[in-house]
Amino acid sequence: MAIGEFDLIRRYFRPLAGEGAFDLTDDAAILQLGPGEELVVTADMVAAGVHFLPDDPADTIARKALRVNLSDVASKGAKPAGYIMTVAFPRDVEEGWIAEFCRGLAEDQREFDTRLLGGDTIGIASGLTVSITAFGKVPAGEMVHRFGGRPGDRLYVSGEIGCGAAGLRLLLGETILGPLPPAARQRLIGRYRVPQPRTALAEAVRACASAAMDVSDGLIGDCDKLVAASGCGAVIHADSVPLDPDLVTVAKDDSVLAALLTGGDDYEILAAVPPEDEERFRFMAARAGIAVTRIGELVEEAGAVEVLRGGRPMDLARRSYDHGRT
Amino acid sequence: MAIGEFDLIRRYFRPLAGEGAFDLTDDAAILQLGPGEELVVTADMVAAGVHFLPDDPADTIARKALRVNLSDVASKGAKPAGYIMTVAFPRDVEEGWIAEFCRGLAEDQREFDTRLLGGDTIGIASGLTVSITAFGKVPAGEMVHRFGGRPGDRLYVSGEIGCGAAGLRLLLGETILGPLPPAARQRLIGRYRVPQPRTALAEAVRACASAAMDVSDGLIGDCDKLVAASGCGAVIHADSVPLDPDLVTVAKDDSVLAALLTGGDDYEILAAVPPEDEERFRFMAARAGIAVTRIGELVEEAGAVEVLRGGRPMDLARRSYDHGRT
């Protein structure tokens, strides 16, 4: 396109810049912490053909790039505190596309109370890659880890599992889900393109969870990681896992349910909550307006996540979706 | 390649992880600040065919990606405090290539006393993109900005200008530099592939500079940005600009000197130093082992950088090299 990097930044990115970004006119931003605060730092990169489809709307690509990072921040019990973004645009990108991309970011900045701190844009021959480093603040020592879960802790997830994976399958024209009402199709595709980070749940996670992570590569495979870090095992009751209402019937088929439990792109929070904190966790989640569902518990047997349906182990051909497989 | 993201991280990236990174086994890292410290945050993305050539050695690509960011940190007067890296690898990358890439990072982490805090790797169809967000620490309020320079301040640059641009021209087979000794060719190509961040100069910059930035898009164009932010102008004495000894003769030609002054990929520090701090700046730079050269001064006339050679204005067809032009 005809616009250079400097005009691009001035016209479209500068309006997104917040406190500490110096209007994107310096080489660096400044982040300050209050007394007793620590900074949580996380990064995810998304690319065309890997995390979104090349012809997805520009604003949804931007929002997904930001939201997958906000999801990590929330799962650590942290409050959003700005982000750095680097983007490799195809050289023939149109200015209107970038305007839409930035409009999506502006909307999400308002919704999740965060701000652009800086970054970089480059032009490449083809493809589109967005890398975001997101910051969050927590009181010192209170970041919630993947480790820390103990046998007996209850396993909870926020929202619904499998919507993003279902949306991707619909976009790819796969038929495993059978016919669905048009409204359900649109809703599931929307969940794939624009996940819902559980920022409002961060306080409950920090106050009550012994361990937590966001579910991005599939519930079962991610639970494997949580129990590996925590040195214990887990039992997941597959029939308890919350699903989109329009998927409940088709998910009676084991292979469909397995696809939803291992498909990734959920960006929900998986949290282990000690029994004595369970009531408070449910109360705080309800107050935050986020549905949470108990789906199992941590057990002694180290390293194993058993998935039961009707009391019998489910046969899972795979446990996660590997976005990063190279 | 045959290795998945998780094994890739475990085998090659985990050994790079430092304090606060939790061995790359969590969703986020933790950064702490001492009392009265602030965090300087900067990010640069580099891509094949834009900042390096696709067949450049893997270790030099990694080192350049890290060093261009360390250069920004140093130019703000900050001490390195870790970095986040996201990489989009081509799916057919070989494991040995990644091993070399990480070896380069490990060497530079030791040289510049920094550490990997976290990140993400993804596989894409083709191309290679590396995005790094680098952190630095400064005493609160002491980050050096592009603004802050005042008429009368002396303009200094570290090292030599034009080596990176010369190296790129040699790699591209351009003949503007004429014949050069093989050792000079190798040195200049090396400067393009592996720039030298002036981390050791950060303390002098912080103590003495009224404004500073790193020179990445060409000395003249970057000086334009410094004076625009500072609300003044500058005069640069082109004959004072330090050059590689093997380029001095060929740079007697105005068009060659112009190419070196506007070519980019220097990653040297441009600093404005008030007259009363000049002696201390030179002393601190010498103690740090970094050559600094006075190349001009800031003047009243806002927004104009005049480049004089033999007392007459040089004719510059362009003022900078736009890596990001899309």
Side-chain angles (χ1 to χ4, degrees), chain A residues 39-45 65-76 78 82-84 131-136 143 146 214, chain B residues 26-31 84-86 117-120 133 135:
Chain A
L39 198 67
V40 169
V41 188
T42 185
D44 271 317
M45 182 182 243
L66 180 55
R67 286 170 177 232
V68 301
N69 280 286
L70 289 172
S71 176
D72 279 314
V73 170
S75 76
K76 303 291 100 180
Y83 66 99
I84 294 276
S131 176
I132 287 184
T133 300
F135 304 104
M143 176 174 126
R146 291 185 185 178
D214 85 324
Chain B
D26 213 317
D27 308 87
I30 279 282
L31 264 175
I84 293 276
M85 180 177 64
T86 59
L117 287 168
D120 193 17
T133 300
F135 304 104

Short mmCIF file of all heavy atoms in Angstrom, two decimals, chain A residues 39-45 65-76 78 82-84 131-136 143 146 214, chain B residues 26-31 84-86 117-120 133 135:
data_model
loop_
_atom_site.label_atom_id
_atom_site.label_comp_id
_atom_site.label_asym_id
_atom_site.label_seq_id
_atom_site.Cartn_x
_atom_site.Cartn_y
_atom_site.Cartn_z
N LEU A 39 4.72 -7.61 37.97
CA LEU A 39 4.21 -7.57 36.60
C LEU A 39 4.15 -8.99 36.05
O LEU A 39 5.14 -9.73 36.08
CB LEU A 39 5.16 -6.72 35.74
CG LEU A 39 4.60 -6.21 34.42
CD1 LEU A 39 3.49 -5.20 34.66
CD2 LEU A 39 5.71 -5.59 33.59
N VAL A 40 2.99 -9.35 35.54
CA VAL A 40 2.81 -10.62 34.85
C VAL A 40 2.99 -10.35 33.35
O VAL A 40 2.41 -9.40 32.82
CB VAL A 40 1.40 -11.18 35.13
CG1 VAL A 40 1.07 -12.36 34.23
CG2 VAL A 40 1.27 -11.56 36.60
N VAL A 41 3.81 -11.15 32.69
CA VAL A 41 4.13 -10.92 31.28
C VAL A 41 3.86 -12.19 30.49
O VAL A 41 4.34 -13.27 30.85
CB VAL A 41 5.61 -10.54 31.10
CG1 VAL A 41 5.89 -10.10 29.67
CG2 VAL A 41 6.03 -9.44 32.08
N THR A 42 3.13 -12.06 29.41
CA THR A 42 2.81 -13.23 28.59
C THR A 42 2.81 -12.83 27.13
O THR A 42 2.65 -11.63 26.82
CB THR A 42 1.45 -13.81 29.02
OG1 THR A 42 1.21 -15.01 28.29
CG2 THR A 42 0.32 -12.83 28.74
N ALA A 43 3.02 -13.77 26.22
CA ALA A 43 3.03 -13.43 24.80
C ALA A 43 2.46 -14.57 23.97
O ALA A 43 2.76 -15.74 24.23
CB ALA A 43 4.45 -13.12 24.33
N ASP A 44 1.66 -14.22 23.00
CA ASP A 44 1.18 -15.18 22.02
C ASP A 44 1.24 -14.53 20.66
O ASP A 44 0.95 -13.34 20.51
CB ASP A 44 -0.26 -15.61 22.31
CG ASP A 44 -0.32 -16.82 23.24
OD1 ASP A 44 0.48 -17.75 23.05
OD2 ASP A 44 -1.18 -16.81 24.14
N MET A 45 1.63 -15.33 19.70
CA MET A 45 1.70 -14.88 18.31
C MET A 45 0.59 -15.61 17.56
O MET A 45 0.37 -16.81 17.77
CB MET A 45 3.06 -15.27 17.76
CG MET A 45 3.34 -14.86 16.34
SD MET A 45 5.01 -15.46 15.86
CE MET A 45 5.87 -13.93 15.55
N ALA A 65 -6.06 -11.68 18.45
CA ALA A 65 -4.66 -11.57 18.86
C ALA A 65 -4.54 -10.98 20.26
O ALA A 65 -3.74 -11.43 21.08
CB ALA A 65 -3.89 -10.71 17.86
N LEU A 66 -5.35 -9.96 20.53
CA LEU A 66 -5.31 -9.34 21.86
C LEU A 66 -5.95 -10.25 22.91
O LEU A 66 -5.42 -10.44 24.01
CB LEU A 66 -6.02 -7.99 21.82
CG LEU A 66 -6.06 -7.21 23.13
CD1 LEU A 66 -4.66 -6.99 23.70
CD2 LEU A 66 -6.76 -5.86 22.93
N ARG A 67 -7.08 -10.84 22.55
CA ARG A 67 -7.84 -11.60 23.54
C ARG A 67 -7.15 -12.88 24.01
O ARG A 67 -7.29 -13.27 25.17
CB ARG A 67 -9.23 -11.91 22.98
CG ARG A 67 -10.12 -10.67 22.96
CD ARG A 67 -11.41 -10.91 22.18
NE ARG A 67 -12.28 -9.74 22.24
CZ ARG A 67 -13.56 -9.79 22.60
NH1 ARG A 67 -14.13 -10.93 22.89
NH2 ARG A 67 -14.27 -8.67 22.66
N VAL A 68 -6.44 -13.55 23.11
CA VAL A 68 -5.76 -14.77 23.56
C VAL A 68 -4.70 -14.42 24.61
O VAL A 68 -4.41 -15.22 25.50
CB VAL A 68 -5.14 -15.58 22.40
CG1 VAL A 68 -6.22 -15.98 21.39
CG2 VAL A 68 -4.02 -14.83 21.71
N ASN A 69 -4.16 -13.22 24.53
CA ASN A 69 -3.21 -12.77 25.53
C ASN A 69 -3.90 -12.32 26.82
O ASN A 69 -3.44 -12.62 27.92
CB ASN A 69 -2.36 -11.63 24.96
CG ASN A 69 -1.23 -12.16 24.09
OD1 ASN A 69 -0.25 -12.69 24.60
ND2 ASN A 69 -1.38 -12.04 22.78
N LEU A 70 -5.03 -11.62 26.67
CA LEU A 70 -5.78 -11.21 27.86
C LEU A 70 -6.27 -12.44 28.63
O LEU A 70 -6.39 -12.42 29.86
CB LEU A 70 -6.98 -10.34 27.46
CG LEU A 70 -6.62 -8.95 26.96
CD1 LEU A 70 -7.87 -8.24 26.40
CD2 LEU A 70 -6.01 -8.11 28.09
N SER A 71 -6.53 -13.52 27.91
CA SER A 71 -6.96 -14.76 28.54
C SER A 71 -5.85 -15.32 29.43
O SER A 71 -6.11 -15.75 30.57
CB SER A 71 -7.33 -15.77 27.44
OG SER A 71 -7.67 -17.02 28.00
N ASP A 72 -4.61 -15.28 28.95
CA ASP A 72 -3.49 -15.72 29.79
C ASP A 72 -3.34 -14.84 31.03
O ASP A 72 -3.11 -15.34 32.13
CB ASP A 72 -2.17 -15.67 28.98
CG ASP A 72 -2.00 -16.88 28.08
OD1 ASP A 72 -2.22 -18.01 28.55
OD2 ASP A 72 -1.64 -16.69 26.91
N VAL A 73 -3.47 -13.54 30.83
CA VAL A 73 -3.34 -12.61 31.96
C VAL A 73 -4.40 -12.92 33.02
O VAL A 73 -4.11 -13.04 34.22
CB VAL A 73 -3.47 -11.14 31.47
CG1 VAL A 73 -3.59 -10.18 32.65
CG2 VAL A 73 -2.25 -10.78 30.61
N ALA A 74 -5.65 -13.12 32.58
CA ALA A 74 -6.73 -13.40 33.52
C ALA A 74 -6.51 -14.71 34.26
O ALA A 74 -6.76 -14.81 35.47
CB ALA A 74 -8.07 -13.44 32.78
N SER A 75 -6.00 -15.71 33.54
CA SER A 75 -5.83 -17.03 34.15
C SER A 75 -4.76 -17.01 35.23
O SER A 75 -4.68 -17.92 36.05
CB SER A 75 -5.49 -18.08 33.09
OG SER A 75 -4.14 -17.97 32.69
N LYS A 76 -3.92 -16.00 35.22
CA LYS A 76 -2.89 -15.86 36.26
C LYS A 76 -3.37 -14.98 37.42
O LYS A 76 -2.60 -14.64 38.32
CB LYS A 76 -1.60 -15.29 35.66
CG LYS A 76 -1.01 -16.11 34.50
CD LYS A 76 -0.46 -17.44 34.97
CE LYS A 76 -1.39 -18.59 34.70
NZ LYS A 76 -0.85 -19.89 35.15
N ALA A 78 -4.41 -11.85 37.14
CA ALA A 78 -3.86 -10.49 37.00
C ALA A 78 -4.85 -9.56 36.28
O ALA A 78 -5.71 -9.99 35.53
CB ALA A 78 -2.54 -10.53 36.26
N GLY A 82 -1.81 -3.13 29.89
CA GLY A 82 -1.20 -2.68 28.64
C GLY A 82 -0.61 -3.82 27.83
O GLY A 82 -0.49 -4.94 28.33
N TYR A 83 -0.27 -3.50 26.59
CA TYR A 83 0.32 -4.52 25.72
C TYR A 83 1.20 -3.88 24.65
O TYR A 83 1.05 -2.71 24.32
CB TYR A 83 -0.76 -5.39 25.06
CG TYR A 83 -1.66 -4.65 24.08
CD1 TYR A 83 -1.44 -4.74 22.71
CD2 TYR A 83 -2.73 -3.88 24.51
CE1 TYR A 83 -2.25 -4.08 21.80
CE2 TYR A 83 -3.55 -3.21 23.61
CZ TYR A 83 -3.31 -3.32 22.26
OH TYR A 83 -4.10 -2.65 21.36
N ILE A 84 2.13 -4.69 24.19
CA ILE A 84 3.03 -4.35 23.09
C ILE A 84 2.62 -5.20 21.90
O ILE A 84 2.37 -6.39 22.06
CB ILE A 84 4.48 -4.69 23.49
CG1 ILE A 84 4.98 -3.81 24.63
CG2 ILE A 84 5.41 -4.67 22.29
CD1 ILE A 84 5.52 -2.48 24.21
N SER A 131 2.01 -10.44 16.82
CA SER A 131 2.58 -10.90 18.08
C SER A 131 2.25 -9.88 19.16
O SER A 131 2.50 -8.69 18.99
CB SER A 131 4.09 -11.06 17.95
OG SER A 131 4.64 -11.42 19.20
N ILE A 132 1.68 -10.35 20.24
CA ILE A 132 1.34 -9.43 21.34
C ILE A 132 2.00 -9.92 22.62
O ILE A 132 1.97 -11.11 22.93
CB ILE A 132 -0.19 -9.29 21.49
CG1 ILE A 132 -0.72 -8.43 20.33
CG2 ILE A 132 -0.57 -8.70 22.85
CD1 ILE A 132 -2.19 -8.11 20.38
N THR A 133 2.64 -9.00 23.31
CA THR A 133 3.13 -9.23 24.67
C THR A 133 2.21 -8.45 25.59
O THR A 133 2.11 -7.23 25.46
CB THR A 133 4.57 -8.75 24.84
OG1 THR A 133 5.42 -9.46 23.93
CG2 THR A 133 5.07 -8.99 26.25
N ALA A 134 1.52 -9.15 26.47
CA ALA A 134 0.53 -8.49 27.32
C ALA A 134 1.02 -8.47 28.77
O ALA A 134 1.67 -9.41 29.23
CB ALA A 134 -0.81 -9.20 27.24
N PHE A 135 0.68 -7.39 29.44
CA PHE A 135 1.08 -7.21 30.83
C PHE A 135 -0.13 -7.23 31.74
O PHE A 135 -1.22 -6.82 31.36
CB PHE A 135 1.80 -5.87 31.00
CG PHE A 135 2.98 -5.75 30.08
CD1 PHE A 135 2.93 -4.96 28.95
CD2 PHE A 135 4.14 -6.46 30.34
CE1 PHE A 135 4.00 -4.87 28.09
CE2 PHE A 135 5.23 -6.38 29.48
CZ PHE A 135 5.16 -5.58 28.35
N GLY A 136 0.11 -7.72 32.95
CA GLY A 136 -0.92 -7.68 33.98
C GLY A 136 -0.25 -7.37 35.31
O GLY A 136 0.97 -7.55 35.45
N MET A 143 0.62 -14.18 41.80
CA MET A 143 0.31 -14.78 40.51
C MET A 143 -0.07 -16.24 40.71
O MET A 143 0.57 -16.94 41.49
CB MET A 143 1.52 -14.68 39.55
CG MET A 143 1.28 -15.38 38.21
SD MET A 143 2.65 -15.13 37.01
CE MET A 143 3.05 -16.84 36.58
N ARG A 146 0.53 -22.74 37.23
CA ARG A 146 0.02 -24.05 36.88
C ARG A 146 0.30 -25.04 38.02
O ARG A 146 -0.44 -25.98 38.22
CB ARG A 146 0.66 -24.56 35.60
CG ARG A 146 0.24 -23.80 34.38
CD ARG A 146 0.84 -24.44 33.13
NE ARG A 146 0.53 -23.65 31.95
CZ ARG A 146 0.96 -23.94 30.73
NH1 ARG A 146 1.71 -25.01 30.53
NH2 ARG A 146 0.62 -23.19 29.70
N ASP A 214 -5.10 -20.89 31.20
CA ASP A 214 -6.18 -20.77 30.23
C ASP A 214 -6.14 -21.97 29.30
O ASP A 214 -5.10 -22.58 29.07
CB ASP A 214 -6.16 -19.42 29.50
CG ASP A 214 -5.24 -19.38 28.32
OD1 ASP A 214 -4.16 -20.00 28.37
OD2 ASP A 214 -5.59 -18.70 27.33
N ASP B 26 4.94 -22.19 32.55
CA ASP B 26 3.69 -21.55 32.98
C ASP B 26 3.15 -20.68 31.82
O ASP B 26 3.75 -20.64 30.75
CB ASP B 26 3.92 -20.72 34.25
CG ASP B 26 2.69 -20.72 35.15
OD1 ASP B 26 1.58 -20.56 34.64
OD2 ASP B 26 2.87 -20.88 36.37
N ASP B 27 2.04 -20.01 32.04
CA ASP B 27 1.45 -19.19 30.98
C ASP B 27 2.07 -17.81 30.93
O ASP B 27 1.83 -17.06 29.99
CB ASP B 27 -0.06 -19.03 31.21
CG ASP B 27 -0.75 -20.35 31.42
OD1 ASP B 27 -0.80 -20.83 32.57
OD2 ASP B 27 -1.22 -20.91 30.43
N ALA B 28 2.82 -17.45 31.96
CA ALA B 28 3.33 -16.09 32.05
C ALA B 28 4.58 -16.07 32.90
O ALA B 28 4.87 -17.00 33.64
CB ALA B 28 2.26 -15.18 32.68
N ALA B 29 5.33 -14.99 32.75
CA ALA B 29 6.52 -14.76 33.57
C ALA B 29 6.21 -13.65 34.57
O ALA B 29 5.19 -12.96 34.47
CB ALA B 29 7.68 -14.33 32.69
N ILE B 30 7.09 -13.50 35.52
CA ILE B 30 6.96 -12.43 36.53
C ILE B 30 8.17 -11.50 36.41
O ILE B 30 9.31 -11.96 36.31
CB ILE B 30 6.91 -13.04 37.95
CG1 ILE B 30 5.51 -13.53 38.29
CG2 ILE B 30 7.35 -12.03 39.00
CD1 ILE B 30 4.52 -12.45 38.67
N LEU B 31 7.91 -10.21 36.41
CA LEU B 31 8.98 -9.21 36.48
C LEU B 31 8.78 -8.38 37.73
O LEU B 31 7.68 -7.88 37.99
CB LEU B 31 8.93 -8.30 35.26
CG LEU B 31 9.86 -8.66 34.09
CD1 LEU B 31 9.60 -7.74 32.92
CD2 LEU B 31 11.33 -8.58 34.49
N ILE B 84 11.06 -11.21 25.96
CA ILE B 84 10.03 -12.15 25.51
C ILE B 84 10.23 -12.32 24.01
O ILE B 84 10.44 -11.33 23.31
CB ILE B 84 8.64 -11.54 25.77
CG1 ILE B 84 8.36 -11.42 27.26
CG2 ILE B 84 7.56 -12.31 25.03
CD1 ILE B 84 7.82 -12.65 27.92
N MET B 85 10.17 -13.55 23.53
CA MET B 85 10.38 -13.77 22.10
C MET B 85 9.26 -14.62 21.51
O MET B 85 8.92 -15.67 22.06
CB MET B 85 11.72 -14.47 21.87
CG MET B 85 12.02 -14.74 20.40
SD MET B 85 13.65 -15.49 20.16
CE MET B 85 13.40 -17.06 21.00
N THR B 86 8.71 -14.18 20.40
CA THR B 86 7.80 -15.03 19.63
C THR B 86 8.41 -15.25 18.25
O THR B 86 8.98 -14.33 17.66
CB THR B 86 6.40 -14.40 19.49
OG1 THR B 86 6.53 -13.13 18.84
CG2 THR B 86 5.74 -14.19 20.84
N LEU B 117 12.40 -14.67 29.06
CA LEU B 117 11.34 -14.74 30.07
C LEU B 117 10.15 -15.56 29.60
O LEU B 117 9.38 -16.06 30.42
CB LEU B 117 10.86 -13.33 30.42
CG LEU B 117 11.83 -12.52 31.27
CD1 LEU B 117 11.40 -11.07 31.33
CD2 LEU B 117 11.90 -13.11 32.67
N GLY B 118 9.96 -15.67 28.28
CA GLY B 118 8.80 -16.41 27.80
C GLY B 118 8.59 -16.11 26.34
O GLY B 118 9.41 -15.44 25.71
N GLY B 119 7.48 -16.61 25.81
CA GLY B 119 7.19 -16.34 24.41
C GLY B 119 6.31 -17.39 23.80
O GLY B 119 5.51 -18.04 24.49
N ASP B 120 6.49 -17.58 22.52
CA ASP B 120 5.59 -18.46 21.76
C ASP B 120 6.32 -18.84 20.48
O ASP B 120 7.09 -18.05 19.94
CB ASP B 120 4.30 -17.68 21.43
CG ASP B 120 3.17 -18.57 20.94
OD1 ASP B 120 3.23 -19.80 21.14
OD2 ASP B 120 2.22 -18.03 20.35
N THR B 133 10.20 -8.55 22.54
CA THR B 133 9.90 -7.44 23.44
C THR B 133 10.98 -7.46 24.52
O THR B 133 11.12 -8.47 25.21
CB THR B 133 8.51 -7.61 24.09
OG1 THR B 133 7.52 -7.65 23.07
CG2 THR B 133 8.20 -6.46 25.05
N PHE B 135 13.07 -5.77 27.84
CA PHE B 135 12.87 -4.97 29.04
C PHE B 135 14.19 -4.41 29.53
O PHE B 135 15.24 -5.03 29.37
CB PHE B 135 12.24 -5.82 30.14
CG PHE B 135 10.95 -6.46 29.72
CD1 PHE B 135 10.89 -7.81 29.40
CD2 PHE B 135 9.81 -5.69 29.59
CE1 PHE B 135 9.71 -8.39 28.98
CE2 PHE B 135 8.62 -6.27 29.17
CZ PHE B 135 8.57 -7.62 28.85
#
